[in-house]
Amino acid sequence: GDSVTQMEGPVTLSEEAFLTINCTYTATGYPSLFWYVQYPGEGLQLLLKATKADDKGSNKGFEATYRKETTSFHLEKGSVQVSDSAVYFCALSGGLTGGFKTIFGAGTRLFVKA
Amino acid sequence: DGGITQSPKYLFRKEGQNVTLSCEQNLNHDAMYWYRQDPGQGLRLIYYSQIVNDFQKGDIAEGYSVSREKKESFPLTVTSAQKNPTAFYLCASSRTGGDSQPQHFGDGTRLSIL
């Protein structure tokens, strides 16, 4: 079935460092891909999405490109801030197996030090 | 503003007791979901519903029950059969048509055992 694998955390960075969180997926068909962010004690919020191959999703300085050839959707940010400390989830939906349901990765916790 | 409201934010359950978590949305979404999140882990799907008066089991439905009598509401009951109910519970909703739709989340209910 459909699945999402993302790098284990925690990831600890200093402020203004470059961030990459790796995400790969397995799915049949043409799924849409998402990154969600969860701040402590809250629900998840959509950070960005991409609906077809080579699409780039971007929001708040974060970017991710839908790479069908490598089945990847890595999250990047050029300069992180302390306020970016959170848990980041890669997800997909619209694959032939899962349909409209969303399949989430296990999450990657990011700590940014001042 | 539209959104999802979960209540209560914190809930305590005694042994042998059923408790019900509330989830209400005013986004006019057809689909609603319940997830369980354990510390340091990803989201596991409990139940989901695509339409009023219909719902399906997710990956960990045992010990839980739901109803979907109104489009706006999708309450979750944690029954006494759920032997390890302590967790963070998240409700979400989404559209189901067209391009794969992102999910919108509430702020969660944290359930603990007395």
Side-chain angles (χ1 to χ4, degrees), chain B residues 58-86:
Chain B
D59 302 318
I60 57 164
E62 187 173 348
Y64 300 97
S65 66
V66 293
S67 63
R68 186 86 186 276
E69 297 176 1
K70 298 186 299 182
K71 186 175 186 178
E72 302 80 20
S73 179
F74 191 41
L76 172 75
T77 297
V78 183
T79 75
S80 57
Q82 173 49 245
K83 297 307 178 188
N84 184 23
T86 298

Side-chain angles (χ1 to χ4, degrees), chain A residues 12-85:
Chain A
T12 303
L13 296 173
S14 297
E15 207 165 23
E16 298 184 4
F18 185 86
L19 169 71
T20 300
I21 300 178
N22 290 336
C23 171
T24 57
Y25 68 91
T26 301
T28 52
Y30 302 94
S32 291
L33 302 175
F34 307 87
W35 277 100
Y36 289 84
V37 60
Q38 184 181 31
Y39 298 102
E42 297 183 5
L44 279 68
Q45 303 172 26
L46 178 67
L47 181 59
L48 54 85
K49 73 173 185 178
T51 58
K52 60 182 187 296
D54 300 325
D55 267 3
K56 177 185 282 188
S58 61
N59 185 26
K60 299 180 182 179
F62 291 89
E63 293 183 339
T65 301
Y66 189 163
R67 301 283 189 202
K68 196 165 178 65
E69 64 276 13
T70 54
T71 62
S72 65
F73 193 55
H74 305 321
L75 182 68
E76 296 182 336
K77 186 175 186 184
S79 176
V80 294
Q81 306 301 313
V82 172
S83 58
D84 293 327
S85 298

Side-chain angles (χ1 to χ4, degrees), chain A residues 73-111:
Chain A
F73 193 55
H74 305 321
L75 182 68
E76 296 182 336
K77 186 175 186 184
S79 176
V80 294
Q81 306 301 313
V82 172
S83 58
D84 293 327
S85 298
V87 181
Y88 293 82
F89 292 91
C90 185
L92 69 84
S93 73
L96 291 178
T97 303
F100 72 94
K101 289 186 294 178
T102 299
I103 310 298
F104 290 90
T108 301
R109 183 175 296 275
L110 170 66
F111 291 106

Side-chain angles (χ1 to χ4, degrees), chain A residues 30-34 36 38 40-46 49 51 87 89 93-95 99-107 109, chain B residues 9 31 33 35 37 40-43 45 48-50 57 59 88 90 94-96 99-108 110:
Chain A
Y30 302 94
S32 291
L33 302 175
F34 307 87
Y36 289 84
Q38 184 181 31
E42 297 183 5
L44 279 68
Q45 303 172 26
L46 178 67
K49 73 173 185 178
T51 58
V87 181
F89 292 91
S93 73
F100 72 94
K101 289 186 294 178
T102 299
I103 310 298
F104 290 90
R109 183 175 296 275
Chain B
K9 193 168 179 66
Y33 314 80
Y35 295 94
Q37 187 177 28
Q41 299 191 25
L43 280 68
L45 183 63
Y48 64 99
S49 167
Q50 290 180 262
K57 292 182 179 180
D59 302 318
F88 190 50
L90 287 164
S94 74
R95 294 192 177 96
T96 54
D99 281 344
S100 295
Q101 299 292 328
Q103 295 195 355
H104 298 251
F105 285 82
D107 281 338
R110 190 168 299 280

Side-chain angles (χ1 to χ4, degrees), chain B residues 5-79:
Chain B
T5 301
Q6 290 187 241
S7 63
K9 193 168 179 66
Y10 299 95
L11 187 58
F12 298 90
R13 194 191 89 169
K14 295 180 181 178
E15 295 289 341
Q17 186 181 45
N18 293 353
V19 291
T20 297
L21 285 60
S22 170
C23 178
E24 302 278 333
Q25 54 102 356
N26 61 2
L27 297 166
N28 200 33
H29 286 168
D30 290 313
M32 296 187 75
Y33 314 80
W34 275 106
Y35 295 94
R36 170 178 171 141
Q37 187 177 28
D38 292 286
Q41 299 191 25
L43 280 68
R44 291 187 288 171
L45 183 63
I46 304 172
Y47 270 98
Y48 64 99
S49 167
Q50 290 180 262
I51 196 169
V52 174
N53 292 323
D54 185 53
F55 48 83
Q56 307 295 329
K57 292 182 179 180
D59 302 318
I60 57 164
E62 187 173 348
Y64 300 97
S65 66
V66 293
S67 63
R68 186 86 186 276
E69 297 176 1
K70 298 186 299 182
K71 186 175 186 178
E72 302 80 20
S73 179
F74 191 41
L76 172 75
T77 297
V78 183
T79 75

